Amino acid sequence: GALQAHCLDHHTVAKCRGRPRFYKQVVGVPQGSCASSLLCDLYYGAFERDCLGRFLQSSCVACRVVDDTLVLGEDVGGFLDAYAEAGPRRNILVTAAKTHATVPHPLLAAAPAPRLR
């Protein structure tokens, strides 16, 4: 109804030569809208339940904020394996350059080692 129409009716403001211009988003949900965080939480929540449940019920603890996940536990490598295997089927990818791990993993071998300060 009205709430759905409000959530899906997005306009973007862009300044062009000092004058604001309004554009209507017609495909997807704009990043930063209240609907994008909610839809992301629902999507990732279903992915975690369906594909990562065995890790979340074992010795691993996962904490997620929107699409960033912190995993602590003994089987972080197995968690990354499951993520890398099941994620692409749902358009969820692990970006090696943005992933940090305390254990070596083939998924992260191609990326330069991040420097933590």
Side-chain angles (χ1 to χ4, degrees):
L3 178 60
Q4 180 183 15
H6 174 73
C7 289
L8 297 177
D9 187 28
H10 297 288
H11 289 83
T12 303
V13 179
K15 285 201 170 192
C16 183
R17 296 184 187 166
R19 297 182 319 188
R21 296 196 174 217
F22 295 88
Y23 299 94
K24 183 172 182 166
Q25 174 117 11
V26 293
V27 176
V29 178
Q31 186 173 357
S33 78
C34 57
S36 67
S37 295
L38 175 64
L39 291 173
C40 186
D41 277 341
L42 293 171
Y43 193 77
Y44 270 79
F47 170 70
E48 291 166 354
R49 181 194 64 227
D50 298 343
C51 303
L52 306 175
R54 72 181 180 100
F55 292 100
L56 302 178
Q57 296 172 0
S58 68
S59 61
C60 283
V61 174
C63 176
R64 181 177 46 81
V65 176
V66 188
D67 64 344
D68 295 323
T69 305
L70 170 67
V71 180
L72 304 171
E74 296 175 6
D75 195 12
V76 173
F79 186 89
L80 284 171
D81 288 338
Y83 221 93
E85 178 187 328
R89 290 194 303 259
R90 296 191 184 203
N91 291 321
I92 296 174
L93 305 175
V94 175
T95 305
K98 294 163 96 180
T99 303
H100 308 275
T102 57
V103 296
H105 192 274
L107 180 68
L108 308 178
R115 294 208 176 268
L116 302 177
R117 297 178 194 200

